Amino acid sequence: MSNDYFVGDGRDITGGHDTDGICGGDPRALEEALRYQSIAIDNMTQGLCLFDSEQRVVVCNSQYRHLYGLSELDVRPGTTLEQICRARIANGIYGEDNPEKYIAERTKPFSTAHEQTQRLNDGRTILIRRRPMPDGGWVTTHEDISERCEAEARVAHMALHDGLTGLPNRTLFQSRLEDAMKRVRRGERAALLWLDLDHFKSVNDTYGHPVGDALLCEVAARILSNIRETDTVARLSGDEFAVLQVQVSTANDCSALAQRLISILSEPYMVAGHLLMIGVSVGIAIADSENHDARDLMRSADLALYKSKNEGRGTFRYFATEMDVAMQERRQVEADLRAALVRGEFQLYYQPIMDLKAMKPCGFEALLRWNHPSRGLVAPLNFISIAEETGLIMPITEWVLNQACQDAKGWSRPLSVAVNLSAVHFRHGNPAQSVRKALETSGLDPARLEVEITESLFLDKTVHTAAILEDIKRMGVRISMDDFGTGYSSLSYLTAFPFDKIKIDRSFVKDLPSGKGSLAILRSIAGLGFSLGMTTTAEGVETDEQLAVAIDEGCTEVQGYYFSAPKPLEDMDDTLKNCDDKCAGYTRARGPKFNVV
Ligand code: C2E
Ligand code: CA
Ligand code: CA
């Protein structure tokens, strides 16, 4: 018989069956049967213990002993359950309760089969199943389910936390917010601070995701160490975090926290050997007796964040009701924009571009207008940014390209046509394809098409800007750098790609001829264009004097109200005639100075 289990005085361990019935009274057969039972019991993965009606051990397997660190002596047949409990208390492996409570709990009589999980004070979790037997005794099995519980706990944790930073995720945050709102209804005040990192994307793009991830973890750690234990910080998505500040007494509490977060998150980070700088914008919504709906609060904080981002970043803003109105208006514009394409509400206006050497019109810039059914003619500044945010800019640009090429094809003079391309198009689509298609469909000579792009295109390093531009250039289309001088490091972008034209932004023309700074900038861009072999167009020329400066400083083209505002296609012949007349009467033309040999 195995040493690992005891059948005591040979009582029937199968729960009252007549052993004679099984083995036909043959002692050898009985011994054989018991041996098999012993093997079977010891090969169970679970701990097993059988008690009689007096709570005494009848049989107990080795797994049971190992599970609870007991010796054979501790569980020998005849030992009472209470004695086993005491042995376990002595070796320190028992339920989490206090010892007496533990004993009382374990030795309580029961009448029906049941199961129960018990957490031991060494951290393990045991699943105990107990089944009564007809003779008043019972059998218990014990299974260590710690791993399963840990796995379940991990899954539960994962469902509620962000895998990268370990912070609560949106789901958990929302439930904490709901709880906080209950307290707000009872008179407490709370605040929601919505954080969005500034320039995080460029770190990610420049140094790669592992560095971006490490940076986010560092951000999480800095936020955590700057809030109270009762407050909650969550990572909501990408580079968005939220802080739920509870027990707020005045708005000063929120401002102070927001300011602290802004300054600690703006301090330099050392990640994987890189010294990184980012910033953060914060939107704040306060929950009080009047505003305590969790969803409204999140929306309000998000609107306030949007405002703080728009007002220069690195700041915090409180939610104000007007923001709600503005946001609803934007949503309306977005919905209307979607419909506008289908309903054919877009129209192109054309503004002439004048060649200063020949003193005559050399092309037109196509400028988009929206004939809104109730708002009338809408200028692009009021809808282009929304079209960009929603991705609608791509179908809109395709429409512009097709329409402009088709219109130009029918013009009385074979002048060039310029179309504006958005940086968003390069990021999310391929404008080269749209250009190719417009040329094919219209049959316009590619040499007559120009596309205008802005410096913002070069900010996103991940986009193959140069490759797309080269593709367009290979078609024979010319490429202009628009609004030049308004971006960051303008000069380096000029060498990044062989542009055909530089359009000098209106802001450097508007205070001419007196503006000294503007004059110097205009002069140097014109000189730069000349040395790089690029055309230079002064934009926004409105007066005689401005035209004179543009000519004197060596610009090769001008565009502006002086010659004509943008006009619908029907007015094109009139516009051309007006321009011709203006040129004929212009006696000052001397020819751009850089071209004088
Ligand atoms: P932009 O490309 O710099 O276009 C020139 C803008 O300057 C036009 O404004 C034009 O009406 C205005 N302008 C021209 N001459 C003068 C002048 O002498 N004085 C003044 N004060 N303004 C002048 P518009 O048509 O309102 O367009 C504004 C901006 O909207 C454009 O700036 C361009 O960035 C964007 N845009 C227009 N059409 C499109 C388009 O089809 N696609 C894209 N992506 N953007 C477009
Ligand atoms: Ca333009
Ligand atoms: Ca421009």
Side-chain angles (χ1 to χ4, degrees):
M1 197 171 289
S2 159
N3 283 338
D4 277 348
Y5 97 106
F6 299 84
V7 266
D9 54 4
R11 275 177 293 172
D12 176 13
I13 60 164
T14 59
H17 286 296
D18 174 6
T19 48
D20 285 356
I22 302 169
C23 307
D26 176 351
R28 285 229 319 274
L30 174 64
E31 198 178 305
E32 185 83 336
L34 290 174
R35 205 164 63 79
Y36 280 125
Q37 275 173 349
S38 138
I39 293 169
I41 290 170
D42 266 338
N43 276 296
M44 288 173 65
T45 50
Q46 300 149 336
L48 176 135
C49 204
L50 186 74
F51 294 93
D52 65 13
S53 55
E54 268 130 43
Q55 302 203 333
R56 288 175 190 280
V57 172
V58 178
V59 65
C60 176
N61 71 0
S62 56
Q63 279 79 352
Y64 181 89
R65 289 194 283 106
H66 294 154
L67 210 50
Y68 298 118
L70 298 167
S71 69
E72 287 176 14
L73 210 61
D74 291 331
V75 291
R76 70 182 184 283
T79 312
T80 64
L81 177 56
E82 186 179 335
Q83 284 170 327
I84 294 183
C85 290
R86 294 214 180 271
R88 282 178 53 184
I89 289 165
N91 73 11
I93 304 179
Y94 61 104
E96 280 180 320
D97 306 323
N98 77 49
E100 289 313 316
K101 191 168 167 223
Y102 163 70
I103 294 173
E105 206 43 54
R106 289 260 63 91
T107 54
K108 215 161 49 192
F110 66 96
S111 54
T112 52
H114 63 270
E115 58 178 57
Q116 175 189 24
T117 52
Q118 185 175 53
R119 212 169 141 77
L120 301 180
N121 47 7
D122 63 6
R124 286 178 298 156
T125 308
I126 309 292
L127 174 65
I128 303 173
R129 291 196 177 92
R130 301 207 283 174
R131 190 159 52 84
M133 292 192 302
D135 67 355
W138 75 95
V139 64
T140 67
T141 57
H142 300 244
E143 187 183 352
D144 185 345
I145 55 165
S146 313
E147 269 180 32
R148 198 203 305 165
C149 290
E150 273 162 27
E152 279 166 10
R154 262 201 305 278
V155 171
H157 188 270
M158 268 158 61
L160 295 176
H161 292 80
D162 164 43
L164 178 66
T165 59
L167 292 180
N169 64 10
R170 190 181 283 265
T171 313
L172 180 55
F173 188 74
Q174 268 165 343
S175 101
R176 299 250 173 102
L177 192 60
E178 299 280 357
D179 291 346
M181 289 311 104
K182 284 181 200 143
R183 295 194 300 275
V184 167
R185 271 174 224 126
R186 282 184 244 120
E188 229 180 64
R189 286 222 288 179
L192 179 56
L193 286 78
W194 204 278
L195 284 68
D196 190 296
L197 303 182
D198 300 328
H199 317 300
F200 173 73
K201 198 177 172 313
S202 59
V203 169
N204 227 9
D205 291 345
T206 313
Y207 300 100
H209 290 278
V211 171
D213 284 356
L215 179 61
L216 287 173
C217 291
E218 176 63 26
V219 166
R222 286 192 192 179
I223 302 177
L224 259 182
S225 59
N226 274 276
I227 59 170
R228 290 173 306 180
E229 234 167 67
T230 42
D231 297 342
T232 302
V233 53
R235 178 168 170 236
L236 301 176
S237 65
D239 59 351
E240 256 185 310
F241 295 81
V243 174
L244 167 63
Q245 190 182 18
V246 293
Q247 292 156 3
V248 170
S249 34
T250 67
N252 276 346
D253 293 352
C254 313
S255 303
L257 177 59
Q259 198 50 64
R260 195 162 68 239
L261 291 174
I262 290 170
S263 56
I264 55 135
L265 294 180
S266 310
E267 274 166 28
Y269 296 77
M270 196 65 194
V271 178
H274 304 290
L275 191 67
L276 307 173
M277 297 281 286
I278 51 166
V280 64
S281 304
V282 185
I284 309 173
I286 293 186
D288 53 25
S289 55
E290 272 148 43
N291 305 296
H292 44 60
D293 180 87
R295 278 178 49 186
D296 281 354
L297 205 65
M298 289 179 82
R299 216 174 110 252
S300 304
D302 193 21
L303 286 171
L305 171 65
Y306 181 79
K307 180 131 204 288
S308 98
K309 279 208 137 358
N310 267 351
E311 289 181 2
R313 297 159 188 259
T315 57
F316 65 89
R317 287 286 176 273
Y318 282 91
F319 168 74
T321 323
E322 309 86 70
M323 290 179 195
D324 217 5
V325 177
M327 188 50 85
Q328 271 161 17
E329 272 174 17
R330 279 180 67 82
R331 291 222 180 89
Q332 188 59 47
V333 172
E334 185 186 333
D336 288 355
L337 262 183
R338 282 182 200 281
L341 263 176
V342 185
R343 293 199 211 123
E345 291 167 4
F346 289 119
Q347 186 185 0
L348 287 182
Y349 272 42
Y350 290 97
Q351 185 177 33
I353 301 168
M354 308 298 293
D355 176 346
L356 292 178
K357 196 168 172 215
M359 251 315 171
K360 63 178 188 195
C362 56
F364 284 89
E365 177 174 3
L367 293 156
L368 189 58
R369 298 291 179 269
W370 178 13
N371 284 304
H372 190 280
S374 57
R375 292 164 64 195
L377 205 62
V378 188
L381 286 181
N382 297 321
F383 66 88
I384 292 282
S385 63
I386 300 177
E388 288 183 328
E389 281 164 30
T390 53
L392 282 168
I393 191 69
M394 293 190 271
I396 292 177
T397 306
E398 273 164 16
W399 180 86
V400 174
L401 276 165
N402 285 326
Q403 192 63 43
C405 289
Q406 199 182 310
D407 286 350
K409 185 86 178 149
W411 289 346
S412 53
R413 296 185 207 175
L415 303 182
S416 64
V417 63
V419 171
N420 293 283
L421 295 184
S422 155
V424 173
H425 203 157
F426 285 76
R427 210 176 305 140
H428 299 294
N430 188 346
Q433 272 160 13
S434 316
V435 168
R436 187 173 289 117
K437 205 145 163 253
L439 286 171
E440 273 167 18
T441 318
S442 63
L444 183 76
D445 176 0
R448 288 181 58 198
L449 180 63
E450 276 176 24
V451 293
E452 299 189 359
I453 57 145
T454 56
E455 287 165 78
S456 62
L457 192 60
F458 293 93
L459 289 180
D460 191 346
K461 298 273 187 303
T462 53
V463 177
H464 304 297
T465 307
I468 298 175
L469 289 178
E470 269 151 25
D471 196 3
I472 297 177
K473 207 175 162 96
R474 269 197 302 273
M475 295 176 215
V477 174
R478 274 168 299 151
I479 296 170
S480 312
M481 168 69 94
D482 199 3
D483 302 341
F484 189 72
T486 53
Y488 293 91
S489 51
S490 315
L491 292 180
S492 69
Y493 297 134
L494 272 188
T495 52
F497 187 80
F499 291 96
D500 296 286
K501 184 188 279 192
I502 312 171
K503 297 188 79 171
I504 305 165
D505 192 67
R506 198 163 68 229
S507 53
F508 304 113
V509 175
K510 79 172 187 295
D511 53 353
L512 292 178
S514 56
K516 292 272 178 298
S518 295
L519 184 65
I521 288 169
L522 186 92
R523 182 175 295 159
S524 49
I525 300 176
L528 197 71
F530 177 73
S531 359
L532 292 168
M534 298 176 186
T535 305
T536 42
T537 311
E539 289 190 300
V541 169
E542 295 183 359
T543 64
D544 252 326
E545 290 84 358
Q546 289 168 347
L547 175 62
V549 175
I551 293 171
D552 289 348
E553 296 308 329
C555 294
T556 50
E557 293 179 354
V558 291
Q559 178 181 352
Y561 293 169
Y562 178 81
F563 284 100
S564 171
K567 296 273 170 61
L569 183 68
E570 311 80 271
D571 297 357
M572 178 145 295
D573 287 334
D574 284 348
T575 309
L576 281 173
K577 191 173 174 307
N578 283 340
C579 288
D580 288 342
D581 291 349
K582 277 217 163 89
C583 289
Y586 196 80
T587 50
R588 210 176 170 282
R590 282 176 276 158
K593 74 171 176 190
F594 294 111
N595 287 354
V596 178
V597 199

